[in-house]
Amino acid sequence: VGVLDGWPDTPVLATERLELEPLRVEHAEEAAPLFDDERLHAFIGGRPATVDELRSRYARQVLGHSAGGCERWFNWIVRQRGIGAAVGAVQATVVSQRNGAAADVAWVIASSYQRHGYAREASAAMVAWLRDHGASVITAHIHPDHKASIAVARALGLTRTDVKVRGEVRWLADNHAAGPASQP
Ligand SMILES: CC(C)(COP(=O)(O)OP(=O)(O)OC[C@H]1O[C@@H](n2cnc3c(N)ncnc32)[C@H](O)[C@@H]1OP(=O)(O)O)[C@@H](O)C(=O)NCCC(=O)NCCS
């Protein structure tokens, strides 16, 4: 029995201003126009996806795990609470590790909703949930010039590492790295 078997399905998460709703294939209709914006790709590469592309991507993602079962996938659409407008999305890929689990996280907020602290607020809720379920290592991969994403990573308590993956810098918080608290 792998460590990942203990993980539940993606839950609804709520913050002060936001609701994180587990991704569904139907969200593609709403997400395609929201994310149809070249600016969102300035640092992550690629281009905006069509509704059909998003629908097939979401259909793969909602399976919740990789083909071999080594990874668990958690995806959320981020909404303004009460108002209900979709403003972005957050995701986590969880793999099992020697002493627990490691989660790689990412976030996107539509341009018209940026600079309201939504990325910080949504990612913090996601990371808290991941930690509660045993993710002792949190990573994010960020373009070295992407100030907004770097600020989000810092707010989550991640620190920059020297590791680069496809031009992106790995940011990391490792609860095991600190080791046991020292005795007085
Ligand atoms: C990165 C992104 C999600 C930030 O979303 P956001 O909701 O605007 O972020 P927040 O409002 O929570 O702001 C977080 C921090 O970034 C800063 N920030 C936001 N936009 C910024 C900008 N254009 N330039 C510099 N700093 C910026 C904020 O001031 C804040 O800093 P603080 O915590 O020191 O106050 C958004 O820019 C985005 O979706 N970009 C495109 C997709 C992407 O590249 N995702 C990253 C993949 S890891």
Side-chain angles (χ1 to χ4, degrees), residues 40 44 107-109 114-120 146 148-149 151-152:
L40 297 176
I44 55 177
W107 38 76
V108 53
I109 297 291
Q114 289 179 6
R115 309 215 74 155
H116 293 292
Y118 286 163
R120 247 185 308 148
H146 196 180
S149 241
V152 175

Side-chain angles (χ1 to χ4, degrees), residues 113-178:
Y113 296 103
Q114 289 179 6
R115 309 215 74 155
H116 293 292
Y118 286 163
R120 247 185 308 148
E121 193 168 320
S123 319
M126 169 173 67
V127 165
W129 182 80
L130 292 165
R131 288 212 165 102
D132 276 354
H133 287 78
S136 48
V137 174
I138 307 288
T139 56
H141 292 85
I142 302 174
H143 189 286
D145 301 330
H146 196 180
K147 292 196 173 65
S149 241
I150 288 171
V152 175
R154 285 221 170 90
L156 293 173
L158 308 194
T159 51
R160 191 193 300 265
T161 71
D162 295 332
V163 181
K164 265 199 171 184
V165 183
R166 288 183 287 274
E168 293 184 323
V169 175
R170 174 172 298 163
W171 287 70
L172 169 78
D174 185 348
N175 282 356
H176 290 299

Side-chain angles (χ1 to χ4, degrees), residues 70-87:
C70 297
E71 296 180 358
R72 286 293 310 263
W73 300 334
F74 301 98
N75 285 273
W76 290 268
I77 288 289
V78 179
R79 288 186 192 287
Q80 291 173 321
R81 265 175 92 166
I83 301 161
V87 300

